[in-house]
């Protein structure tokens, strides 16, 4: 069965030079690498982790451009994808291709990075499959350098699995249309990756990508891409075909926060099913995992998990840890409100009273009343009765670090 490259064992390096001192500016290149990174990371397309996708904007010298490629090549065991967008230059003597840097000058190849050096970095990679995408002027010369018979290509590369996709034919300028957010080539590339290919395969491979790119660019009278490949690497699938996913597929990239929120909701539902079946021991690690996967910038679904976990801990005699879980939730109520936030306060007050921390229980209930008033909600009902004789509070921070959730106050009278 044909599958996508393993995201955990793959790497991408996206290089883009948009700002130049001596050449025309290419502002669309900045959007190229940013949006291509988002597209490759879309869980509905490939799901390449962001830490596996290195962005190299406006490299100042050869080391800045090539070092990330060498690092990615050492880390990748499945697939290495290297993309460059910017000015391509030719040396007046050799006519070889050079990749533009911010300080590059026309007809001065020594002010840029020789394509040969990039090719050497890709050749040295551990990855089983290597893909090079060039979106620059005169990039077709790279395909010519890699072209010829299979024997000549193998001798030049000295590695298996090389695929080169270039934006323009030799000696034709790759278009960067005014008013468009991306260059002509990368704009079409992103459109195919994001929206898919109607009547195309379930997984879009490199050859399909090349064919559809040529059709769409040619229909707009824009330069057609060129390619060079070895060992049928063109059959390598790169992304899922969103056009085959059906009308109910998400219209845009899946955010990490959305994936985490779904994991939290699934974990909570599973834990409740386990508890209903009397399998509390199995439900406990599920709730801990769900709490660990909560979105870092959102409390959506977190209060429900914390309440469920605290109940389970209390039922199994782990009251101290149950209080600590609710204290963490209580800190979150300071920036939010709603029924679950009020429920957190009420349950925390009950556990604090049961453990003898009556003054803390009063403070929690006071905060709950403030939340209810600020939200325009009804007052907290059925609040636990707090006895008149307080016991000493717990001293020190809760387990796991952090400040005590409430600063104890000394009663005003005897």
């Amino acid at each position: 069965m044909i599958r996508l490259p393993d995201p955990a064992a793959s790497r991408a390096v996206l290089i883009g030079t948009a700002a130049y001192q001596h050449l025309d500016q290419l502002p669309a290149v900045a959007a190229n690498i940013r949006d291509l990174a988002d597209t490759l990371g879309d869980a509905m397309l490939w799901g390449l982790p962001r830490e596996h996708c290195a962005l190299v904007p406006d490299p100042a010298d050869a080391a800045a451009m090539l070092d990330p490629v060498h690092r990615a090549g050492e880390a990748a065991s499945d697939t290495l994808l290297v993309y460059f967008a910017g000015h391509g230059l030719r040396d007046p003597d050799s006519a070889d291709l050079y990749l533009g840097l911010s300080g590059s000058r026309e007809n001065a190849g020594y002010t840029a990075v020789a394509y040969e050096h990039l090719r050497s970095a890709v050749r040295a990679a551990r990855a089983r499959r290597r893909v090079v995408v060039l979106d620059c002027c005169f990039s077709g010369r790279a395909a010519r350098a890699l072209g010829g018979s299979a024997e000549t290509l193998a001798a030049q590369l000295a590695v298996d699995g090389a695929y080169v996709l270039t934006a323009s034919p030799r000696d034709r300028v790759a278009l960067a249309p005014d008013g468009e957010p991306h260059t002509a080539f990368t704009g079409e590339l992103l459109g195919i990756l994001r929206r898919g290919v109607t009547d195309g395969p379930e997984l879009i491979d490199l050859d399909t990508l090349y064919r559809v790119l040529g059709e769409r660019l040619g229909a707009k009278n824009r330069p057609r891409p060129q390619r060079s490949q070895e060992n049928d690497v063109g059959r390598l699938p790169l992304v899922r075909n969103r056009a085959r996913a059906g009308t109910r597929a998400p219209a845009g990239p899946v955010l990490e926060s959305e994936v985490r929120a779904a994991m939290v909701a699934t974990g909570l539902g599973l834990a409740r099913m386990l508890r209903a079946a009397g399998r509390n021991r199995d439900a406990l690690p599920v709730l801990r995992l769900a709490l660990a996967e909560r979105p870092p910038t959102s409390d959506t679904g977190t209060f429900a998990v914390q309440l469920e976990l605290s109940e389970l801990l209390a039922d199994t005699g782990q009251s101290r840890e149950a209080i600590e879980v609710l204290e963490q939730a209580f800190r979150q109520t300071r920036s939010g409100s709603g029924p679950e936030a009020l429920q957190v306060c009420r349950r925390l007050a009950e556990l604090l009273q049961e453990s003898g921390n009556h003054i803390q229980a009063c403070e929690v209930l006071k905060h709950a009343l403030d939340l209810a008033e600020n939200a325009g909600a009804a007052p907290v009902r059925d609040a636990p009765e707090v006895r008149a004789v307080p016991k000493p509070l717990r001293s020190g921070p809760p387990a796991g670090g952090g400040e005590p959730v409430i600063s104890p106050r000394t009663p005003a009278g005897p």
Side-chain angles (χ1 to χ4, degrees):
M1 178 180 178
I2 298 177
R3 297 180 179 177
L4 292 175
D6 180 6
S10 300
R11 298 293 188 275
V13 182
L14 310 181
I15 307 165
T17 307
Y20 294 89
Q21 300 173 22
H22 310 290
L23 303 172
D24 292 339
Q25 305 302 303
L26 296 175
V29 167
N32 281 5
I33 61 174
R34 181 193 65 231
D35 293 345
L36 186 56
D38 290 341
T39 301
L40 296 177
D42 186 343
M44 296 297 292
L45 298 178
W46 184 13
L48 184 69
R50 197 56 184 258
E51 61 270 21
H52 291 181
C53 185
L55 270 64
V56 186
D58 298 323
D61 52 35
M65 179 184 292
L66 299 178
D67 283 352
V69 179
H70 282 288
R71 288 194 293 268
E74 292 173 357
S77 58
D78 189 321
T79 299
L80 172 66
L81 187 152
V82 179
Y83 167 94
F84 171 83
H87 281 299
L89 308 173
R90 290 179 301 172
D91 185 273
D93 296 325
S94 66
D96 290 336
L97 175 69
Y98 288 80
L99 308 178
L101 299 168
S102 296
S104 295
R105 300 193 303 272
E106 187 68 49
N107 297 322
Y110 59 88
T111 64
V113 176
Y115 172 74
E116 284 293 325
H117 293 164
L118 176 63
R119 189 172 64 172
S120 296
V122 174
R123 178 189 294 136
R126 296 174 50 242
R128 293 188 298 115
R129 295 169 292 196
R130 304 160 178 82
V131 181
V132 177
V133 180
L134 301 177
D135 185 0
C136 59
C137 312
F138 312 119
S139 59
R141 185 170 297 276
R144 182 185 179 192
L146 296 175
S149 65
E151 294 78 8
T152 303
L153 180 60
Q156 290 174 335
L157 287 179
V159 292
D160 293 331
Y163 191 100
V164 180
L165 181 62
T166 70
S168 69
R170 180 168 52 98
D171 297 332
R172 258 193 100 176
V173 176
L175 296 179
D178 291 336
E180 295 189 14
H182 308 99
T183 59
F185 172 85
T186 299
E188 294 296 342
L189 174 66
L190 287 169
I192 296 169
L193 296 179
R194 289 171 167 176
R195 294 185 290 274
V197 179
T198 304
D199 299 328
E202 184 176 351
L203 301 178
I204 298 177
D205 56 55
L206 292 169
D207 281 343
T208 299
L209 191 62
Y210 167 74
R211 175 180 58 80
V212 179
L213 270 171
E215 293 172 354
R216 296 187 180 181
L217 288 167
K220 297 179 179 180
N221 197 29
R222 291 177 174 177
R224 291 176 178 267
Q226 290 187 346
R227 68 174 172 181
S228 173
Q229 66 169 313
E230 183 187 20
N231 295 346
D232 290 329
V233 183
R235 300 174 60 185
L236 170 69
L238 190 59
V239 296
R240 298 178 182 88
N241 187 355
R242 176 160 276 159
R244 292 282 301 271
T247 57
R248 298 182 62 184
V254 177
L255 302 178
E256 181 182 357
S257 59
E258 294 174 341
V259 175
R260 287 192 173 189
M263 293 175 67
V264 170
T266 301
L268 178 60
L270 176 58
R272 286 173 173 170
M273 291 176 59
L274 291 170
R275 291 194 69 193
R279 298 172 59 183
N280 287 347
R281 180 176 297 180
D282 294 328
L284 187 59
V286 171
L287 287 171
R288 294 188 193 279
L289 285 173
L291 190 60
E293 289 295 336
R294 66 188 187 277
T297 58
S298 172
D299 295 332
T300 303
T302 304
F303 287 150
V305 175
Q306 290 164 318
L307 284 165
E308 192 78 21
L309 178 57
S310 67
E311 290 292 337
L312 179 55
L313 290 168
D315 289 347
T316 55
Q318 304 175 68
S319 297
R320 180 181 179 86
E321 188 175 353
I323 291 175
E324 291 171 357
V325 169
L326 290 178
E327 284 178 339
Q328 182 185 41
F330 180 82
R331 284 191 287 272
Q332 296 167 224
T333 67
R334 296 183 181 276
S335 59
S337 60
E340 287 184 333
L342 295 175
Q343 192 176 354
V344 164
C345 295
R346 183 180 185 278
R347 182 57 181 149
L348 176 58
E350 291 176 349
L351 291 177
L352 287 170
Q353 182 183 341
E354 291 173 4
S355 65
N357 294 325
H358 304 292
I359 294 179
Q360 274 188 304
C362 289
E363 293 287 352
V364 170
L365 290 175
K366 180 179 181 302
H367 177 68
L369 291 172
D370 292 340
L371 285 178
E373 290 176 1
N374 292 337
V380 179
R381 298 179 180 178
D382 300 326
E385 178 184 355
V386 180
R387 298 177 182 80
V389 182
K391 294 183 180 180
L393 291 171
R394 290 187 296 114
S395 60
E403 296 297 327
V405 64
I406 297 173
S407 299
R409 295 188 295 182
T410 303

